[in-house]
Amino acid sequence: MPRPINILFVSSEARPLIKTGGLADVSSSLPAALRDLGLDCRLLLPGYPSVLERCIALTPVANIAAPADTPVQLLLGQMPDTHVPVYVLDAPHAFQRPGGPYQDASGTEHPDNAERFALLSRIAAQLCDPHSALAKQTHWHPDCLHCNDWQTGLAPAYLHYAGRPIPSLTTIHNLAFQGVYDPDILPRLGLPAESFAIHGLEYYGSIAFLKAGLFYSDWITTVSPTYALEIQAEPLGMGMQGLLQQRSHQLTGILNGINTADWNPSSDLHLAHNYTYRGMAGKRRSKTALQTELGLNKDAAAPLFGIVSRLTHQKGLDWVVQAVDGILAQGGQLAILGTGEPELEVRFKQLAQQHPHSVAAFIGYDEGRSHRIEAGADIFLMPSRFEPCGLNQMYSQRYGTLPLVRTTGGLADSVTDGKDGFSFAGDTAHALWLTIERALAIYHDPKAWRRMQQTAMRKDMSWEHSAREYVALYTQLIAATHSS
Ligand code: ADP
């Protein structure tokens, strides 16, 4: 039997070890789905404290040449839930510190992010180069390197200068984050001076880690077909549209799946009442339970709008703020969970203080509450200005909470207006409001509402389909490398 295809999947976050956004969900679900299809996919992650703490059966597999006062080791362990093998880059000087993966506790970027993620990228490339001292210690040889976002953008550049031993693929999860740094850092990255060029990692006079990924990798994917088109033009190309247009024949949009085990209303442990599309009593009880938990009026008929999101301009929540009076005038309620820009946090907190029985705002990150909002709400609001894929609209569909979205990126690819959710194309608070009114009209027609809920809940949003598309791509890239 031929050996399975080996994929090294490098990412800066993967749940449940470390998570700041959707990237962490993809980085845990996709490798597991690839393994289910028979591939040997392994993760490479930075050794943040939570990763070292939560990864199971960690054992050292290689020492990495580094100055004596900065010991760096490669460990191999497993994901606690799926048992996917994980290489952990244990570099205490870079990754063992308080705060988040990219920022300290006060929200300031770590000053050495360029060096930290260059190190992660460099180790990824070394693992893929059979001639490197590191690969000689690990006895496992990837056939393809899968990079994710700017944090791993330099890996294809290092691989290029190592002679491109294997193909690489870069997935864009959000083009807004590009890892842009002063060109002065180039000598510290260990890349040749010639790499600082238009045909390289130069980006309007700076260095962009993501640009390196997009330029040097053999293929580019992004997380929805619509976003793959949107990023080839202004404004969503965010400065990279020229390069993406040039590479459009090597750019594919593959819609993310969701983790259907974690997000399953019939078995969700965060809920006191479970349900399926066949019997929705549990959903009605989940709504009452949520209203109780949040201190909202226990009114079964009030349309309850939910939001779980980073509170940023990207997510279009300023339009929601403008719609709140209208929602309340229609007898509606609003439950918000999120963190982000201080102005939005303050605004939502004020609204909750002004209307304590109709608006609840929780500023913070709370996985359990996010599940309870998905289950208890009637309508999930996600009017993003742009959304590469988005996960919450799909979680909502699975929980029979109809998503109301703006038609952009993955929202356009996963929500069909009037069938399994509601969508609008404009970019004003008024456009959002007209769609809220449309949704409310259907909400008051229980038969029509139930039909839409059932359609949404029965959709197949599992990872298997998307994982097969990645397998086809890896196979094609590996075959092309062998024939060249
Ligand atoms: P993005 O990656 O742009 O933040 P996505 O919709 O792709 O948006 O993914 C966001 C993920 O983070 C989802 O799993 C969502 O449930 C979760 N999430 C965001 N904010 C919170 C929060 N405050 N509490 C719990 N989960 C959150």
Side-chain angles (χ1 to χ4, degrees), residues 317-336:
L317 299 173
D318 45 318
W319 295 326
V320 174
V321 169
Q322 295 180 57
V324 168
D325 283 345
I327 289 175
L328 300 184
Q330 301 266 346
Q333 300 179 338
L334 181 61
I336 302 130

Side-chain angles (χ1 to χ4, degrees), residues 30 33-34 36-37 39 254 463-475:
L30 177 56
L34 291 168
D36 287 344
L37 294 176
L39 281 72
I254 302 178
W463 264 102
E464 190 187 326
H465 180 75
S466 312
R468 283 190 195 283
E469 289 190 56
Y470 281 104
V471 176
L473 206 47
Y474 299 143
T475 309

